[in-house]
Amino acid sequence: MVTNFLSEEKLFCANEDNKLESRLVNQCTSAECEKYYVCANGSCDEKSTNYQSCSNGTCIPAGETCPSTSTCDPAGNATAQSQCNAGYYLKTNKLYLCTQSSTGRKRNTIACKEVGKEAGQTGTKVPIGYLKNAEQGATETYIQCTYEGTCTAINPSSSCTGAGVLYTDSSSGSALTLCLEADTPVSTSIADEGSYFVNVSSKNTFGEKTDHYVIVKIEDENVILQLQAEASNRFEYTTTNYLITSRSDAKTPTTGICTTGMHEFMKNDCDNCVSDDAFYYTRTTTTPETPSA
């Protein structure tokens, strides 16, 4: 007679010293487990040692059904979504965003939703730019969503072939890089987060308007067009690599920008200078003056 067992049925194995131990995931291959017992209500009955291994690493008695090994499907049910990583997915030409809950009963669980559904349905507008592909084992590492509303799975280019191009820079250890200005050229590593201006004189991912620029934000390996609601300043000032900087308050000069060189950009508020998504900017011809000491 064995005492102090829970009332619910539990499976144990007896080692070489006849000590009962809880079943572990490696019991199928354990040489120490001589016999198996089902214990409940203070008594144990010997069971067959015929067990099977399941693909998820668990071990169950022969004849029982192995647990489901559901794979990630952002468009599937809650179980399939829970197998996904947080991030963006492209499935049957539809964009999905999977996020991890940080509060409530479902804390740390993953849930997914389609992005950019029609008006009246749950969803948000499809972000314009380059989105890190969260699909495990995907051949393409990024999802490119253009201002024209199409999303395609891609791999970065091998060089800066034009403004707005995402490429791997062979001169910087194949660092993932965004080309901001093709003629100069000006570019920035995706690792350098912040808001930048991108030239859209020639049609690219972010827009098309001669002699104009748009603002993109680099964050968490994503490059996303800044929408109108996020643009509040008529004038923006950047370093020589088009990184937008701003004063910390109304009186404090912007750290570093006055000594390293800067560019001035002006928001164009005319009717034909505003896209459906973002404001267009022009780069002024006058270089801002550095105040004398």
Side-chain angles (χ1 to χ4, degrees):
M1 178 70 69
V2 180
T3 59
N4 297 324
F5 283 108
L6 298 177
S7 59
E8 58 191 81
E9 194 172 81
K10 295 280 188 178
L11 182 65
F12 292 84
C13 70
N15 62 20
E16 295 175 346
D17 297 324
N18 287 328
K19 179 182 178 181
L20 291 175
E21 298 177 333
S22 296
R23 180 168 57 103
L24 305 176
V25 294
N26 68 343
Q27 70 178 30
C28 286
T29 58
S30 173
E32 295 181 354
C33 207
E34 299 294 324
K35 295 181 179 180
Y36 291 92
Y37 296 86
V38 172
C39 300
N41 297 320
S43 63
C44 297
D45 295 318
E46 185 178 344
K47 292 294 182 181
S48 168
T49 57
N50 185 17
Y51 281 77
Q52 61 178 331
S53 294
C54 297
S55 59
N56 65 351
T58 61
C59 184
I60 64 173
E64 293 187 8
T65 302
C66 286
S68 172
T69 56
S70 176
T71 57
C72 164
D73 183 0
N77 58 26
T79 300
Q81 291 181 15
S82 69
Q83 304 302 310
C84 299
N85 293 322
Y88 289 98
Y89 294 79
L90 189 63
K91 183 178 178 65
T92 60
N93 296 320
K94 296 179 180 179
L95 185 68
Y96 292 85
L97 175 61
C98 296
T99 56
Q100 180 172 301
S101 174
S102 59
T103 60
R105 295 174 57 191
K106 295 184 178 181
R107 183 180 305 162
N108 299 327
T109 59
I110 296 289
C112 310
K113 66 178 179 180
E114 183 182 344
V115 182
K117 286 187 173 182
E118 298 297 329
Q121 292 183 293
T122 301
T124 58
K125 189 175 182 64
V126 172
I128 297 170
Y130 297 101
L131 312 172
K132 181 71 173 176
N133 191 353
E135 181 181 351
Q136 295 183 8
T139 303
E140 298 83 9
T141 58
Y142 267 82
I143 301 170
Q144 178 188 34
C145 292
T146 71
Y147 76 99
E148 295 177 308
T150 60
C151 292
T152 309
I154 66 161
N155 281 311
S157 300
S158 58
S159 62
C160 175
T161 56
V165 171
L166 186 68
Y167 71 102
T168 52
D169 187 356
S170 58
S171 65
S172 299
S174 298
L176 195 58
T177 306
L178 180 67
C179 190
L180 306 172
E181 186 88 79
D183 297 335
T184 312
V186 180
S187 60
T188 185
S189 169
I190 298 302
D192 297 328
E193 296 188 344
S195 295
Y196 295 81
F197 278 104
V198 177
N199 193 320
V200 290
S201 292
S202 296
K203 181 179 179 181
N204 60 37
T205 300
F206 305 101
E208 180 183 19
K209 190 169 183 62
T210 304
D211 297 327
H212 280 75
Y213 296 77
V214 293
I215 298 175
V216 299
K217 185 174 184 180
I218 299 177
E219 186 175 35
D220 297 331
E221 298 185 271
N222 299 313
V223 184
I224 298 177
L225 179 71
Q226 179 178 280
L227 302 181
Q228 293 179 28
E230 301 171 287
S232 58
N233 299 327
R234 185 179 183 190
F235 293 95
E236 296 284 5
Y237 297 90
T238 78
T239 57
T240 53
N241 71 338
Y242 291 3
L243 171 66
I244 296 175
T245 62
S246 60
R247 292 175 181 263
S248 58
D249 56 55
K251 295 182 179 180
T252 305
T254 304
T255 303
I257 194 171
C258 295
T259 57
T260 59
M262 59 179 157
H263 299 301
E264 181 182 67
F265 291 82
M266 180 177 68
K267 183 169 64 176
N268 201 333
D269 291 325
C270 61
D271 291 340
N272 64 342
C273 298
V274 180
S275 74
D276 292 337
D277 301 291
F279 288 110
Y280 288 115
Y281 292 76
T282 57
R283 181 177 162 184
T284 64
T285 56
T286 302
T287 302
E289 297 180 359
T290 300
S292 59

